[in-house]
Amino acid sequence: MEATEKDILRGGQFLVKETKCEDVFTPEDFSEEQKMMKEAVQEFNEREIIAHKARFEAKDYALTEEVMKKAGQLGFLGVAVPEAYGGLDMGFVSTLLVCDYISSGTGSFSTAFGAHTGIGTMPITLYGTEEQKQKYVPKLATGEWFGSYCLTEPGAGSDANSGKTTATLSEDGKSYKINGQKMWISNAGFCHLMIVFARIEDDKNITGFIVEYDKNNPNGITLGEEEHKLGIRASSTRQVFYSDTVVPIENMLAGRGEGFKIAMNALNVGRIKLAGACLDSQRRILTTAVQYANERKQFNTPIADFGAIKYKLAEMASSAYAGESATYRAAKNIEDRIAMRQAAGNTHQEAELKGVEEYAIECSILKVAVSEDVQNCADEGIQIFGGMGFSEETPMEAAWRDARIARIYEGTNEINRMLSVGMLVKKAMKGHVDLLGPAQKVQEELMGIPSFDTPDYSELFAEEKEMVAKLKKVFLMVAGAAVQKFGPDLDKHQQLLIAASDILIEIYMAESAILRTEKNVKRFGEDAQAVQIAMAKLYLYNAVSIVEKNGKESIISFAEGDEQRMLLMGLKRFVKYANYPDIVDLRIAIAEKVKAENKYCF
Ligand SMILES: Cc1cc2nc3c(=O)[nH]c(=O)nc-3n(C[C@H](O)[C@H](O)[C@H](O)COP(=O)(O)OP(=O)(O)OC[C@H]3O[C@@H](n4cnc5c(N)ncnc54)[C@H](O)[C@@H]3O)c2cc1C
């Protein structure tokens, strides 16, 4: 049945509307076609990437290019691309799925794949003219050509619209000449096409161009040497210099001054895809860690039997589980919204653009949450391996180094944290998400007398769902009071924004894990989902602590006297369980399952 406007939450609305478990998509909902795709990608990952891991670590850039070509031949580069341009047009969930399972072998390939299929191709599919799409997208979708995305400059990183690269119109008005320097460009060493952002005259905003790059006829383009990096060692990363590079006017993307918009929207897609790209890495890290922990004995005991190690295994599993739950939930929302817009008469291009833009908040949330989870997982993975974890001979060392970049590119996690809250406040002001009404209700609740009724928590997750609802109140209480206090100056209070964002992130992740589990309990039964229930409860328990810490810091920072006391009392009420879960037992149950299966098995 086709989803309608009514059924699908708008981006950011998860905060103020209740989502029913039936309305979330979960990895257990993959279609037969998606399952087949997943197997094909897993097989490709084992054969072409993992089997050659050492070569990637030894900076074999040619191998990255070779494997990218093979991925193109198998159609993996064109999953998101419409059939009319040589792709498979499999929808957003499948796009995420491929990205997820192809990315865990090495961050080198994952980065090349992400840069090409996401920010290297999407600006054309999303903003290109029909001619541009016909000319370039089929080549990119099949891997005949590779794409790169040239936004960052030595002086323009997070402040992406401040670049100094210029585009000057020729006297005959037929072309632009590009001059400038780009930095940190993934795939630069083997790409045939660059999405380049440059400024025309003294325009406020940059403009996007499609620039062809032929090594034998470089058209004023020169590349710096490969950067020597902490991780993703076989991913090509170079500076790119443009000296009177001639680009025909028909290669301008969208209109003059539209480049910043293109850059931001391409990054929205990039962000959720990056979250997807961290998921299988996380599963793989846990699997490698538990296999080692089951084998390695100290004090005549497999280290997996020690409580300290069980703690780590359980935490790693539950964060991976929440990451999957939230990423596929958002992916399906995006897919449904695209379909809905197409049904309403939008072109594929318009629908996709608006569909992804709608969930920009969720894309930022996911980027931050999953990139930090995979990093923590890799760190604990090293710890489980002990001294061997520190050695290049074990996979943990590379996993840890490769994970690190995900917090930096596609917008740093600081920028994404601030964006997530900033975009939500903007949506509220535009009337797309009603934050004001619910925030006022929370205010009234704070003034009122708390209910002393004992609610009925006998149904599965009854208390957990109430906890999530209360965490939402914390966000509304903190963000509402902060908006009232600082108004348009809120963005100057970065520590507050970041704290609010951490609250927002935890709400989305915890809710997603609970809804996925609830849905699965209804169809597979409570016994079959016992460990998933434990993971959802563990994730929520941790989320509550994070929300409490950030809520408290925020309140103390901006409220004083009676107001502070009232808000802190509200916070205390909203983070209080009636029945605390036995978190130690939950961790043991999760770890025992992972140990018995000797892998991430959910
Ligand atoms: C391996 C690699 C591959 C990359 N690939 C590409 C690519 O293909 N194409 C491309 O265009 N770019 C690419 N980048 C660039 C990447 O997107 C930037 O590094 C990133 O956006 C951060 O910019 P920066 O490095 O200039 O750091 P800066 O912007 O200088 O940031 C430094 C620190 O200051 C913080 N900060 C900055 N501004 C603010 C602010 N307003 N408020 C609070 N904190 C702030 C940041 O969060 C960060 O912690 C790549 C980078 C790397 C390392």
Side-chain angles (χ1 to χ4, degrees), residues 111 115-116 119-120 147-160 182-188 195 197 227 229-232 235-238 267 271 404-405 407-416 418 491 494 498:
T111 299
H116 171 78
I119 51 184
S148 67
Y149 176 86
C150 308
L151 177 65
T152 307
E153 299 184 10
S158 301
D159 188 5
K182 296 287 172 179
M183 188 165 190
W184 302 120
I185 304 310
S186 302
N187 294 355
I195 306 291
F197 296 91
E227 302 286 347
K229 309 184 295 289
L230 172 71
I232 58 167
S235 154
S236 170
T237 320
R238 296 182 178 219
L267 286 175
R271 284 165 189 158
R404 188 62 184 84
I405 186 59
R407 289 167 52 199
I408 298 171
Y409 58 20
E410 307 277 347
T412 65
N413 282 14
E414 292 74 27
I415 296 292
N416 271 291
M418 291 185 284
D491 62 358
Q494 290 196 345
I498 286 181

Side-chain angles (χ1 to χ4, degrees), residues 225-264:
E225 290 299 313
E226 287 290 349
E227 302 286 347
H228 296 287
K229 309 184 295 289
L230 172 71
I232 58 167
R233 289 185 169 167
S235 154
S236 170
T237 320
R238 296 182 178 219
Q239 295 201 50
V240 184
F241 302 88
Y242 302 92
S243 172
D244 286 344
T245 300
V246 178
V247 185
I249 51 165
E250 56 272 20
N251 276 26
M252 185 189 281
L253 261 177
R256 177 172 171 172
E258 296 285 308
F260 189 55
K261 200 168 79 187
I262 299 173
M264 293 304 108

Side-chain angles (χ1 to χ4, degrees), residues 461-570:
F461 287 142
E463 174 152 18
E464 284 73 19
K465 283 173 33 184
E466 192 182 288
M467 280 308 296
V468 171
K470 289 198 291 189
L471 298 186
K472 293 180 183 180
K473 289 181 186 175
V474 174
F475 181 88
L476 291 166
M477 177 176 84
V478 169
V483 168
Q484 266 182 7
K485 189 134 267 162
F486 301 118
D489 282 343
L490 182 61
D491 62 358
K492 297 200 179 85
H493 298 264
Q494 290 196 345
Q495 295 195 41
L496 189 52
L497 285 176
I498 286 181
S501 172
D502 280 345
I503 298 174
L504 194 63
I505 290 169
E506 292 308 322
I507 292 168
Y508 192 67
M509 304 303 286
E511 184 181 69
S512 301
I514 290 169
L515 291 172
R516 170 185 178 184
T517 315
E518 190 189 8
K519 183 174 185 183
N520 287 335
V521 165
K522 285 191 179 169
R523 49 189 168 171
F524 309 131
E526 208 166 317
D527 287 349
Q529 292 290 302
V531 181
Q532 286 85 339
I533 293 170
M535 287 191 292
K537 288 186 174 180
L538 174 60
Y539 193 95
L540 176 67
Y541 179 85
N542 290 331
V544 171
S545 303
I546 296 170
V547 170
E548 183 174 13
K549 173 181 175 289
N550 285 286
K552 188 171 172 185
E553 278 179 20
S554 308
I555 292 166
I556 293 169
S557 80
F558 67 75
E560 288 176 344
D562 283 349
E563 188 194 7
Q564 186 187 90
R565 268 190 291 280
M566 181 187 71
L567 292 174
L568 286 175
M569 263 167 56

Side-chain angles (χ1 to χ4, degrees), residues 185-476:
I185 304 310
S186 302
N187 294 355
F190 65 97
C191 72
H192 310 83
L193 180 152
M194 299 170 169
I195 306 291
V196 182
F197 296 91
R199 193 175 311 278
I200 301 173
E201 297 171 342
D202 49 6
D203 284 1
K204 179 167 168 263
N205 287 327
I206 49 180
T207 299
F209 294 92
I210 304 170
V211 179
E212 295 182 18
Y213 174 55
D214 175 356
K215 276 182 199 149
N216 301 317
N217 181 17
N219 184 17
I221 300 175
T222 45
L223 303 181
E225 290 299 313
E226 287 290 349
E227 302 286 347
H228 296 287
K229 309 184 295 289
L230 172 71
I232 58 167
R233 289 185 169 167
S235 154
S236 170
T237 320
R238 296 182 178 219
Q239 295 201 50
V240 184
F241 302 88
Y242 302 92
S243 172
D244 286 344
T245 300
V246 178
V247 185
I249 51 165
E250 56 272 20
N251 276 26
M252 185 189 281
L253 261 177
R256 177 172 171 172
E258 296 285 308
F260 189 55
K261 200 168 79 187
I262 299 173
M264 293 304 108
N265 274 320
L267 286 175
N268 286 335
V269 185
R271 284 165 189 158
I272 183 168
K273 286 183 72 177
L274 180 57
C278 294
L279 292 176
D280 201 46
S281 302
Q282 226 181 313
R283 297 184 197 105
R284 190 169 290 277
I285 288 167
L286 174 56
T287 294
T288 311
V290 70
Q291 286 172 356
Y292 183 81
N294 274 333
E295 286 271 313
R296 171 76 176 167
K297 282 192 178 151
Q298 285 295 284
F299 305 96
N300 287 325
T301 312
I303 59 167
D305 286 348
F306 294 128
I309 302 294
K310 286 184 193 169
Y311 178 108
K312 296 183 195 305
L313 296 173
E315 292 289 345
M316 290 158 85
S318 89
S319 76
Y321 180 74
E324 288 173 346
S325 311
T327 306
Y328 284 101
R329 173 188 183 187
K332 183 68 159 107
N333 283 151
I334 293 175
E335 183 168 295
D336 284 348
R337 192 151 277 271
I338 293 170
M340 202 183 75
R341 284 194 161 262
Q342 274 185 296
N346 279 184
T347 62
H348 185 286
Q349 191 167 355
E350 289 163 341
E352 184 139 1
L353 194 57
K354 292 284 169 204
V356 177
E357 202 181 3
E358 178 67 39
Y359 297 97
I361 296 168
E362 285 79 356
C363 292
S364 282
I365 288 175
L366 289 165
K367 192 273 181 184
V368 174
V370 186
S371 66
E372 294 183 3
D373 285 344
V374 73
Q375 175 96 64
N376 292 337
C377 240
D379 199 63
E380 290 291 46
I382 290 189
Q383 201 65 16
I384 290 172
F385 268 71
M388 283 312 289
F390 205 63
S391 164
E392 280 186 9
E393 277 174 38
T394 66
M396 285 305 168
E397 181 261 356
W400 186 85
R401 287 187 290 97
D402 281 3
R404 188 62 184 84
I405 186 59
R407 289 167 52 199
I408 298 171
Y409 58 20
E410 307 277 347
T412 65
N413 282 14
E414 292 74 27
I415 296 292
N416 271 291
R417 277 190 160 88
M418 291 185 284
L419 271 177
S420 64
V421 177
M423 290 186 291
L424 190 59
V425 172
K426 259 195 208 133
K427 275 196 154 203
M429 286 176 175
K430 281 189 188 162
H432 291 173
V433 177
D434 176 21
L435 290 188
L436 198 64
Q440 272 166 354
K441 271 204 189 131
V442 177
Q443 280 272 340
E444 285 159 22
E445 194 178 332
L446 290 177
M447 309 280 200
I449 301 163
S451 154
F452 292 104
D453 294 348
T454 317
D456 176 11
Y457 291 131
S458 55
E459 219 175 277
L460 177 70
F461 287 142
E463 174 152 18
E464 284 73 19
K465 283 173 33 184
E466 192 182 288
M467 280 308 296
V468 171
K470 289 198 291 189
L471 298 186
K472 293 180 183 180
K473 289 181 186 175
V474 174
F475 181 88
L476 291 166

